């Protein structure tokens, strides 16, 4: 019991929560943008995976990790737009297009990895770069808080910054208004002469930027190489975070953090006497509890709204 | 423009499909122009043909690569015609791939993964004239007529015993070791049991923390486990978790701890890629010499000494498992410490020490052992 408390209430635990949350936050911000625009973008997993690979290639054969980061973002945008082209312009079923893309990303990344590195497992053979970790000047000297908040990978800070960016974009800019109307009232958008298709493409493009960053973090921050299917379902967890956060940036970010806490708990609780199977269940248990709590809250507020309407 | 884009997308999709699909690398000794006559030549010269089914992909720096190395050795030293078929991870393709291989004009059909037992049991009896080798697991000889099947398993517990001994010698400050297993299942726990017993043989007060990410393909998760273990004071780690284990290696390097490689000489693998920093943290590797086992089986069969229809367990004595005693190993351990390991190895070979196994062990017994060394 004592070791359990030690494992949970330590600075290293909270430090690892931020690290675990980084790809989830970035990907869930991408999901928030697209679901606000009325698109179910389950292709974000494949986008992350593809960007992770191109980032590694670009940093190894190009001009270092930052170049790789930019290429990963560009890849993310191109992939997202390709999904959009298939599902919106060519009118393919969007879920099927996304599933096809995700499957293709798993096989395609291995194919290109083998073509270039002659290795089907990992790109360890490539001398690819790592995005730097950053010490924050004043905060790093504060005890406890400094240990938790300082010395993270630069992408982790970008991820938290992106929450603000996405919030401002969605609620404080004309583009955000258009993105939200593309989801809630597409006809209203068309009636004022704004192209629905264009707005949805822009939304997909932005989600591609965020997905690309998430992918770059996996292969150039978390670990320093690409390995087959290394995103391991994080894109889907981000989608769940988006759903649980009711497609709001703050809600999705908090849900991502909640998942990250559960995930990090499942790592550190394994050193205790609790059976590992039970601990591994935690992240999924939290997901279900979260979704149930959200659904309960929603049906209650719905009921209230109806009662209010009835009174009027 | 639209047509061009559509064409491009189709192209990308096709490459994707090709990437997913089974790829076959024909490593035949004859080149393309002679392909037509190679069969005749083979029968004339009496050269045998062997096919290896890789139910995954090469490039794992471990098990499959080791098997492939054995095949290449057969080609070079025995002049055999060899072919390697990679099926990818799609389980539905494994049995058809095995059936296709059996249809071919091959003498030996070799599968090297525990998951291939069922396909082997279904296909082998249909081709009684062919010889089937099953590495790292065994078919159920009781349940059918498998006269043409030879199975070899590896005493990973014996190899891990030595790994545990090395780890215990190196854990001089905290006397704490870490273990990361892909899943909490008997074949993986077999590594753990050997590791624990080997460490106890050196230091009876050793602490060992075992964790299970529950996933073989998530290196980021592996890294988190490695970080947790090193935060708990583990000085030496050992990971039996496939690509997830590569994340553990990275965590060990970041924390400047020792790590023991698995399945093949992983230190050499990293050194070959120019990553000396990682290579020097992998103090040794617990190797399963799958390639050697394949070579040994074919060689025995050519002499007519292979016991088909039976299963063999290859330990340290048979060269099935062992430590990678490379430069890193010899420079990290002192001469006395190396002698200590040699002594223990000698005792295991001589049968003075019998290493326990997790196969057939009940969960209660395993938990008791795990808890006895938990800090």
């Amino acid at each position: 019991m004592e070791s359990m408390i030690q494992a949970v209430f330590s600075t290293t635990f909270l430090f690892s929560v931020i690290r675990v949350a980084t790809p989830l936050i970035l990907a869930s911000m991408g999901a928030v943008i697209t679901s606000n625009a009325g698109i179910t973008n389950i292709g974000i997993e494949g986008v992350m995976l593809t960007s992770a690979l191109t980032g590694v290639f670009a940093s190894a054969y190009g001009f270092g990790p930052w170049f790789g980061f930019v290429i990963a973002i560009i890849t993310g945008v191109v992939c997202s737009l390709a999904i959009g082209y298939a599902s919106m312009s060519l009118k393919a079923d969007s879920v099927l297009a996304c599933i096809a893309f995700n499957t293709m990303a798993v096989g395609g990344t291995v194919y290109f990895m083998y073509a270039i590195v002659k290795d089907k497992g990992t790109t360890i053979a490539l001398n690819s770069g790592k995005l730097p970790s950053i010490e924050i000047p004043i905060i790093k000297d504060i005890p406890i808080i400094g240990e938790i908040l300082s010395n993270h990978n630069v992408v982790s800070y970008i991820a938290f910054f992106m929450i603000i960016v996405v919030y401002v974009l969605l609620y404080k800019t004309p583009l955000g208004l258009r993105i939200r109307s593309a989801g809630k009232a597409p006809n209203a958008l068309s009636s004022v002469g704004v192209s629905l298709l264009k707005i949805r493409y822009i939304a997909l493009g932005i989600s591609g930027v965020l997905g690309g960053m998430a992918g770059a973090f996996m292969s150039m921050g978390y670990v320093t190489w690409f390995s087959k299917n290394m995103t391991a379902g994080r894109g889907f967890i981000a989608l769940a975070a988006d759903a649980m956060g009711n497609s709001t940036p703050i809600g999705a970010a908090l849900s991502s953090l909640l998942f990250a806490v559960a995930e990090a708990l499942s790592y550190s609780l394994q050193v205790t006497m609790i059976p590992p199977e039970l601990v591994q269940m935690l992240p999924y248990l939290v997901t279900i509890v979260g979704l149930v709590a959200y659904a309960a809250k929603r049906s209650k507020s719905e009921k209230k709204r109806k009662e209010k309407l009835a009174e009027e | 423009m639209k047509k061009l884009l559509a064409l491009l997308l189709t192209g990308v999709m096709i490459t994707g499909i090709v990437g997913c699909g089974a790829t076959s690398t024909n490593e035949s000794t004859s080149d393309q122009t002679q392909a037509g006559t190679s069969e005749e030549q083979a029968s004339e010269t009496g050269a045998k043909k062997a096919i290896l089914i890789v139910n995954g992909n090469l490039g794992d720096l471990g098990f499959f690569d080791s098997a492939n190395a054995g095949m290449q050795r057969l080609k070079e030293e025995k002049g055999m015609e060899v072919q390697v078929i990679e099926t990818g991870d799609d389980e539905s393709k494994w049995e058809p791939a095995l059936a296709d291989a059996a249809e071919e004009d091959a003498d030996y059909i070799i599968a090297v993964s525990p998951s291939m037992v069922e396909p082997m049991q279904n296909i082998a009896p249909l081709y009684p004239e062919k010889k089937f080798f099953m590495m790292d697991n065994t078919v159920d000889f009781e349940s059918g007529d498998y006269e043409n099947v030879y199975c070899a398993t590896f005493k990973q517990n014996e190899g891990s015993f030595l790994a545990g001994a090395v780890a215990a010698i190196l854990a001089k400050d905290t006397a704490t070791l870490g273990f990361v297993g892909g899943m909490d299942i008997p074949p993986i726990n077999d590594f753990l049991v050997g590791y624990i017993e080997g460490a106890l043989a050196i230091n009876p007060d050793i602490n060992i923390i075992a964790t299970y990410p529950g996933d073989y393909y998530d290196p980021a998760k592996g890294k988190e486990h490695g970080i947790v273990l090193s935060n708990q004071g583990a000085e030496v780690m050992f990971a039996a978790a496939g690509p997830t284990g590569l994340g553990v290696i990275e965590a060990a390097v970041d924390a400047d701890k020792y790590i023991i490689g698995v399945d093949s000489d992983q230190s050499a693998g990293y050194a070959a890629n120019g990553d000396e920093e990682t290579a020097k943290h992998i103090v040794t590797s617990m190797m399963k010499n799958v390639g050697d086992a394949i070579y040994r089986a074919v060689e025995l069969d050519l002499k007519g000494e292979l016991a088909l229809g039976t299963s063999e367990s290859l330990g340290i004595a048979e060269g099935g498992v062992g430590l990678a005693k490379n430069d890193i190993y010899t420079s990290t351990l002192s001469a006395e410490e190396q002698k200590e390991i040699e002594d223990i190895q000698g005792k295991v070979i001589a049968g003075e020490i019998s290493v326990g196994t997790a196969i057939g062990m009940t969960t209660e017994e395993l938990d008791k052992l795990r808890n006895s060394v938990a800090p």
Side-chain angles (χ1 to χ4, degrees):
Chain A
M1 193 62 204
E2 203 178 315
S3 62
M4 186 173 132
I5 292 168
Q6 265 179 4
V8 176
F9 294 98
S10 66
T11 50
T12 49
F13 173 76
L14 293 170
F15 187 88
S16 73
V17 167
I18 293 177
R19 187 175 47 220
V20 175
T22 300
L24 300 180
I25 288 176
L26 282 170
S28 68
M29 288 304 117
V32 164
I33 297 265
T34 45
S35 55
N36 269 295
I39 315 160
T40 321
N41 182 12
I42 59 172
I44 203 145
E45 170 86 6
V47 169
M48 280 170 74
L49 195 61
T50 316
S51 302
L53 181 70
T54 56
V56 163
F57 281 163
S59 84
Y61 294 113
F63 312 97
W66 284 109
F67 179 71
F69 188 65
V70 172
I71 293 294
I73 289 173
I74 294 172
T75 311
V77 174
V78 170
C79 291
S80 284
L81 294 182
I83 294 172
Y85 181 72
S87 65
M88 299 188 313
S89 295
L90 300 179
K91 302 265 187 295
D93 186 281
S94 82
V95 172
L96 286 182
C98 287
I99 292 176
F101 180 77
N102 286 340
T103 318
M104 194 174 85
V106 175
T109 48
V110 173
Y111 177 81
F112 283 107
M113 180 161 62
Y114 180 68
I116 295 174
V117 200
K118 295 280 170 261
D119 190 325
K120 288 176 187 164
T122 64
T123 63
I124 286 180
L126 282 182
N127 188 16
S128 59
K130 181 177 185 179
L131 292 162
S133 297
I134 290 183
E135 290 199 335
I136 312 176
I138 299 158
I139 291 178
K140 79 169 195 265
D141 297 325
I142 308 172
I144 301 175
I145 293 176
E147 279 173 53
I148 297 167
L149 295 182
S150 184
N151 210 15
H152 277 283
N153 192 283
V154 61
V155 186
S156 297
Y157 298 117
I158 294 177
F160 281 90
F161 182 62
M162 281 300 146
I163 304 171
I164 305 167
V165 170
V166 169
Y167 181 84
V168 171
L169 177 80
L170 272 183
Y171 299 112
K172 310 283 177 202
T173 64
L175 177 65
L177 182 67
R178 286 174 183 180
I179 288 177
R180 280 184 292 139
S181 7
K184 293 226 169 67
N187 292 337
L189 198 63
S190 310
S191 71
V192 292
V194 178
S195 163
L196 175 67
L197 206 59
K198 191 176 132 198
I199 295 298
R200 287 194 167 163
Y201 266 119
I202 292 174
L204 271 171
I206 299 171
S207 95
V209 170
L210 293 156
M213 285 182 187
F217 177 72
M218 291 305 295
S219 64
M220 292 189 290
Y222 222 139
V223 294
T224 51
W225 24 265
F226 177 86
S227 95
K228 186 176 121 181
N229 206 7
M230 72 184 303
T231 47
R234 286 178 176 79
F236 297 118
I237 295 181
L239 286 177
D242 166 53
M244 217 163 110
N246 199 15
S247 294
T248 61
I250 308 293
L254 289 177
S255 312
S256 297
L257 275 172
L258 181 67
F259 287 144
V261 167
E263 194 77 37
L265 264 184
S266 83
Y267 305 146
S268 43
L269 283 187
Q270 289 218 4
V271 303
T272 61
M273 289 292 152
I274 305 167
E277 295 81 7
L278 205 68
V279 174
Q280 278 165 13
M281 199 178 74
L282 259 176
Y284 309 101
L285 188 73
V286 168
T287 315
I288 293 174
V289 170
L291 286 173
V292 168
Y294 168 65
K297 196 184 114 205
R298 188 156 143 165
S299 69
K300 208 174 162 190
S301 65
E302 194 87 332
K303 210 172 152 193
K304 258 191 192 158
R305 199 171 63 92
K306 277 188 187 148
E307 275 169 9
K308 215 174 163 192
L309 280 176
E311 276 169 23
E312 280 168 13
Chain B
M1 184 64 198
K2 262 191 178 174
K3 267 190 181 166
L4 188 75
L5 255 175
L7 210 67
L8 254 169
L9 280 177
T10 327
V12 170
M13 270 179 174
I14 289 171
T15 40
I17 290 164
V18 173
C20 298
T23 48
S24 152
T25 28
N26 195 337
E27 300 279 1
S28 96
T29 42
S30 55
D31 62 35
Q32 212 69 38
T33 49
Q34 292 175 321
T37 55
S38 69
E39 238 168 64
E40 283 169 44
Q41 278 176 347
S43 52
E44 272 170 29
T45 55
K48 302 266 186 180
K49 184 176 178 186
I51 299 181
L52 170 70
I53 310 280
V54 171
N55 57 322
N57 293 110
L58 294 177
D60 60 348
L61 292 180
F63 210 57
F64 291 138
D65 283 355
S66 168
N68 188 36
M71 296 299 280
Q72 299 312 318
R73 220 179 120 201
L74 282 176
K75 177 176 141 190
E76 277 151 29
E77 293 177 22
K78 298 278 171 205
M80 283 176 62
E81 200 181 322
V82 302
Q83 190 180 350
V84 181
I85 296 173
E86 295 172 67
T87 64
D89 287 332
D90 184 354
E91 208 163 326
S92 65
K93 287 182 190 147
W94 296 351
E95 191 166 326
L98 189 68
D100 286 349
E103 280 291 335
E104 293 224 5
D105 180 34
D107 304 272
Y108 304 105
I109 304 184
I110 304 160
V112 292
S113 143
S115 330
M116 289 295 282
V117 169
E118 214 168 297
M120 192 64 101
Q121 298 197 143
N122 294 338
I123 301 292
L126 306 177
Y127 300 88
E129 75 286 358
K130 304 251 159 89
K131 287 165 185 164
F132 289 84
F133 294 172
M134 171 93 237
M135 298 287 155
D136 207 23
N137 206 338
T138 173
V139 299
D140 185 4
F141 285 105
E142 303 282 301
S143 73
D145 182 24
Y146 302 117
E147 283 306 306
N148 56 336
V149 182
Y150 162 80
C151 297
T153 54
F154 297 93
K155 292 181 182 162
Q156 53 224 16
N157 53 337
E158 282 190 5
S160 304
F161 186 87
L162 298 179
V166 172
I169 285 176
L170 290 172
K172 288 177 178 124
D173 297 331
T174 60
T176 303
L177 308 177
F179 175 84
V180 178
M183 284 184 183
D184 194 356
I185 49 174
I188 292 291
N189 283 325
D190 207 24
F191 287 88
L192 177 64
V193 168
Y195 187 63
I196 291 176
E197 290 188 357
L200 288 174
I202 295 288
N203 179 359
D205 300 321
I206 201 91
N207 292 321
I208 300 174
I209 313 166
T211 69
Y212 302 88
D215 197 330
Y216 291 100
Y217 284 101
D218 193 344
K221 215 180 220 182
K223 189 168 182 178
E224 291 291 344
H225 277 255
I227 291 169
V228 167
L229 287 175
S230 71
N231 285 342
Q232 293 288 320
E235 284 183 86
V236 189
M237 288 175 247
F238 181 41
T244 300
L246 299 176
V248 184
I249 294 180
E250 193 156 305
V253 174
D254 284 354
D256 197 21
K257 311 275 173 157
Y258 288 118
I259 173 115
I260 294 170
V262 76
D263 288 352
S264 67
D265 187 348
Q266 289 188 296
S267 178
Y270 277 95
N273 295 333
D275 191 349
E276 295 294 337
E277 179 63 22
T278 304
K280 74 172 197 231
H281 284 91
I282 307 174
V283 57
T284 184
S285 295
M286 197 295 275
M287 298 194 293
K288 275 193 196 176
N289 302 321
V290 189
D292 290 350
I294 291 175
Y295 187 85
R296 177 178 171 271
V298 172
E299 198 174 36
L300 280 177
D301 186 63
L302 292 175
K303 284 190 224 158
E305 291 171 6
L306 189 74
L308 280 163
T310 61
S311 174
E312 222 179 334
S313 193
L314 308 176
I316 301 171
E318 294 86 4
V321 292
L323 290 182
K325 287 168 185 162
N326 48 28
D327 295 347
I328 315 284
Y329 173 82
T330 48
S331 62
T332 312
L333 270 71
S334 71
E336 286 159 40
E337 288 163 346
Q338 286 179 45
K339 197 176 165 292
E340 210 170 341
I341 297 295
E342 295 301 327
D343 287 348
I344 286 182
Q345 183 170 334
K347 280 184 192 165
V348 175
I349 292 175
E352 285 172 43
I353 298 177
S354 89
V355 184
T357 173
I359 314 285
M361 196 184 244
T362 64
T363 313
E364 286 79 25
E365 287 169 330
L366 183 67
D367 278 342
K368 211 175 140 202
L369 182 66
R370 268 195 294 225
N371 293 341
S372 71
V373 290

